[in-house]
Amino acid sequence: MEGRAVGRALRRFRNRLPRLRHRAGSPRDNLGEAVNEPERTQENSLPSFAGGQHFFEYLLVVSLKKKRSGDDYEPTITYQFPKRENLLRGQQEEEERLLKAIPLFCFPDGNEWAPLTEYPRRGKCGPRPAGPGPRLPKVYCIISCIGCFGLFSKVGVEQDSSGPVRPVQLLGLVWLLALPYISLTRPLDSHLEHVDFSSLLHCLRFEQIIQIFASAVLERKIIFLAEGLSTLSQCIHAAAALLYPFSWAHTYIPVVPESLLATVCCPTPFLVGVQMRFQHRVMDSPMEELTILFQVGDEKDILPPKLQEDILVSLDQGISDLTSEQINEHVSGPFVQFFVKTVGHYASYIKREANGQGHFQERPFCKAVSSKTNRRFVKKFVKTQLFSLFIQEAEKSKNPPAGYFQQKILEYEEQKKQKKSREKTVK
């Protein structure tokens, strides 16, 4: 719940801010001076798209600071860009609420950290700063409503060996902010851009992955347990990606901080990850490295048997010699094909008015599914928020959105035509 509250607070806060206006050739504030001259770090330093949407809302550094009482550490924001000034009271309260929640997700296990005499080099960071004392990790947090995971993950950090890492030297963002106009392009369909199915395949059998998919399709409560933070995060992202072209619209927290474990008592659907050391807080029985905590017992019966078998057969084809990108396509493909076969005919059942506004015809849409087992599933699926949000977007658009899903629908329809043509020829 807190994770979604953060998103809602960010959207409300962003909508109240004045829109950014750039002029060609106008001087930009030097990010390298932002720390020493905070008064120059204004809202107009942020790049935006033509529609006024910022490329990112905040760049934060979250560090572990020792509590005044005891030896425990707590995550604290030690750097913020931009520092917005002259905010209205309501805006300021919303910003404070947002920034208060963020450290919990940057360090879900922050209270377990102890001082380190050495901290090894990681990722693209330069050499460790000189000087005595413990070395504790820092989190560079980019808050954005744009899902450019690939781009953000490749942003480098430059560090001066004579001093601490300076977040203002994040090379990618410095480059972006140095331009008066920014033109960025992304693939038409980037549903696998931030996904890595390797962890999911390592931790779970194909049958279990299908059961997770079935539970998610009906928007049930799903909890993962794992020891490592990266394992939890990667597996939760992968599980959500299986739902493409639909999007999980409920509580979604890849790693639940200890202070928010009450989330698992939420009465609404959720997809969350919990560290193994908190297992006793949610369940008493022993767990494997990663698993689903609660099972209703009907997971094997949710999907139509024939289509479920098709997914399993496709997944079971060898992946030992495939690259990471090929593995992602290999795993995602059968689930996309499942939706193509069950609801890929949706566009034909959107009736449009003269002004172009569409209205989905649910009853004839369900009746159009010839297989009884498929139709039984579709009748349940059309009642979910997953499907409702997808159809709402389709009703607004005069043409089906171009992308991987639409491409697969066209290919499937062409295959059916060719099959009918061959059958007529045989007769």
Side-chain angles (χ1 to χ4, degrees):
M1 291 183 292
E2 186 72 21
R4 296 189 64 78
V6 170
R8 288 194 296 269
L10 177 57
R11 287 192 293 272
R12 289 197 303 269
F13 179 73
R14 185 184 67 253
N15 291 336
R16 292 191 182 185
L17 290 172
R19 291 303 184 191
L20 176 63
R21 296 178 182 177
H22 288 325
R23 291 177 297 176
S26 62
R28 293 300 189 96
D29 292 336
N30 188 333
L31 278 181
E33 301 173 1
V35 172
N36 296 327
E37 300 182 51
E39 68 276 7
R40 295 184 62 189
T41 309
Q42 300 294 325
E43 167 68 9
N44 61 9
S45 294
L46 284 176
S48 71
F49 297 101
Q53 187 175 30
H54 298 315
F55 181 67
F56 68 95
E57 306 293 333
Y58 291 98
L59 168 60
L60 305 171
V61 176
V62 181
S63 306
L64 293 174
K65 296 294 183 180
K66 200 169 185 177
K67 295 181 179 178
R68 293 182 178 179
S69 58
D71 296 328
D72 292 339
Y73 288 80
E74 62 180 354
T76 304
I77 294 177
T78 54
Y79 175 84
Q80 173 187 335
F81 174 83
K83 285 185 178 296
R84 296 185 168 98
E85 300 177 354
N86 303 320
L87 297 178
L88 299 177
R89 182 177 178 180
Q91 293 175 332
Q92 186 175 1
E93 291 176 353
E94 288 181 6
E95 183 187 56
E96 290 175 353
R97 189 181 305 114
L98 170 70
L99 298 181
K100 182 179 179 181
I102 287 171
L104 296 176
F105 296 94
C106 292
F107 282 100
D109 55 350
N111 61 335
E112 297 294 322
W113 286 94
L116 305 175
T117 56
E118 293 183 1
Y119 197 68
R121 173 178 175 176
R122 294 189 182 277
K124 299 181 180 179
C125 294
R128 184 173 62 85
R135 294 293 182 268
L136 290 167
K138 295 182 179 180
V139 172
Y140 293 84
C141 177
I142 300 172
I143 302 178
S144 174
C145 290
I146 310 298
C148 299
F149 296 94
L151 176 59
F152 289 141
S153 66
K154 294 177 182 178
V155 172
V157 179
E158 182 182 283
Q159 177 182 347
D160 187 338
S161 60
S162 62
V165 174
R166 300 179 66 191
V168 294
Q169 292 174 321
L170 284 165
L171 299 182
L173 295 180
V174 168
W175 175 77
L176 287 171
L177 295 177
L179 302 177
Y181 291 98
I182 298 171
S183 177
L184 296 174
T185 59
R186 300 180 67 196
L188 185 61
D189 198 316
S190 55
H191 68 286
L192 296 179
E193 182 181 19
H194 64 291
V195 182
D196 183 356
F197 285 108
S198 299
S199 291
L200 197 65
L201 294 175
H202 174 73
C203 298
L204 298 173
R205 303 189 309 273
F206 291 142
E207 291 82 359
Q208 292 174 315
I209 293 175
I210 293 175
Q211 290 180 32
I212 291 174
F213 171 75
S215 298
V217 161
L218 292 190
E219 298 180 323
R220 293 181 172 178
K221 304 172 185 178
I222 304 175
I223 305 175
F224 287 93
L225 278 179
E227 189 63 40
L229 298 181
S230 60
T231 299
L232 275 177
S233 180
Q234 291 174 10
C235 289
I236 293 288
H237 280 309
L242 293 178
L243 297 173
Y244 172 85
F246 305 94
S247 300
W248 183 262
H250 303 280
T251 300
Y252 176 81
I253 310 178
V255 182
V256 179
E258 182 179 9
S259 59
L260 298 179
L261 285 177
T263 300
V264 300
C265 299
C266 175
T268 57
F270 56 72
L271 181 58
V272 301
V274 176
Q275 286 183 273
M276 189 69 74
R277 59 196 177 91
F278 299 132
Q279 174 185 336
H280 66 283
R281 302 274 294 271
V282 289
M283 190 173 184
D284 294 328
S285 59
M287 290 288 156
E288 301 174 358
E289 181 186 3
L290 183 148
T291 187
I292 313 173
L293 278 181
F294 306 105
Q295 293 184 324
V296 176
D298 65 343
E299 286 78 10
K300 294 182 179 180
D301 302 322
I302 294 175
L303 306 182
K306 175 61 171 62
L307 297 184
Q308 187 171 183
E309 182 63 23
D310 290 344
I311 296 176
L312 185 58
V313 170
S314 296
L315 291 176
D316 206 23
Q317 296 176 359
I319 60 174
S320 58
D321 298 328
L322 300 181
T323 64
S324 177
E325 291 183 357
Q326 290 172 332
I327 289 176
N328 285 348
E329 294 176 0
H330 176 83
V331 175
S332 174
F335 295 98
V336 173
Q337 198 65 22
F338 170 85
F339 285 126
V340 168
K341 293 178 180 178
T342 52
V343 297
H345 58 297
Y346 74 93
S348 300
Y349 292 88
I350 297 180
K351 186 177 180 180
R352 301 197 176 276
E353 298 176 356
N355 61 1
Q357 177 61 40
H359 299 281
F360 180 63
Q361 310 297 304
E362 180 179 316
R363 181 170 293 182
F365 168 78
C366 293
K367 286 185 176 181
V369 181
S370 57
S371 168
K372 290 183 179 180
T373 54
N374 290 6
R375 191 185 314 127
R376 190 179 303 118
F377 165 80
V378 170
K379 285 182 177 179
K380 293 180 180 179
F381 184 57
V382 295
K383 302 300 182 182
T384 65
Q385 195 166 352
L386 281 172
F387 187 80
S388 296
L389 293 176
F390 178 85
I391 285 298
Q392 287 174 18
E393 291 300 316
E395 288 174 332
K396 298 176 184 177
S397 176
K398 293 183 179 181
N399 299 308
Y404 184 76
F405 185 56
Q406 183 61 24
Q407 174 188 333
K408 291 301 176 182
I409 290 176
L410 296 177
E411 290 177 0
Y412 181 65
E413 292 176 348
E414 182 62 28
Q415 291 172 359
K416 290 197 300 182
K417 290 180 181 178
Q418 293 178 0
K419 183 179 178 181
K420 288 184 178 179
S421 177
R422 289 194 299 267
E423 289 175 350
K424 289 181 179 179
T425 302
V426 172
K427 291 180 180 179

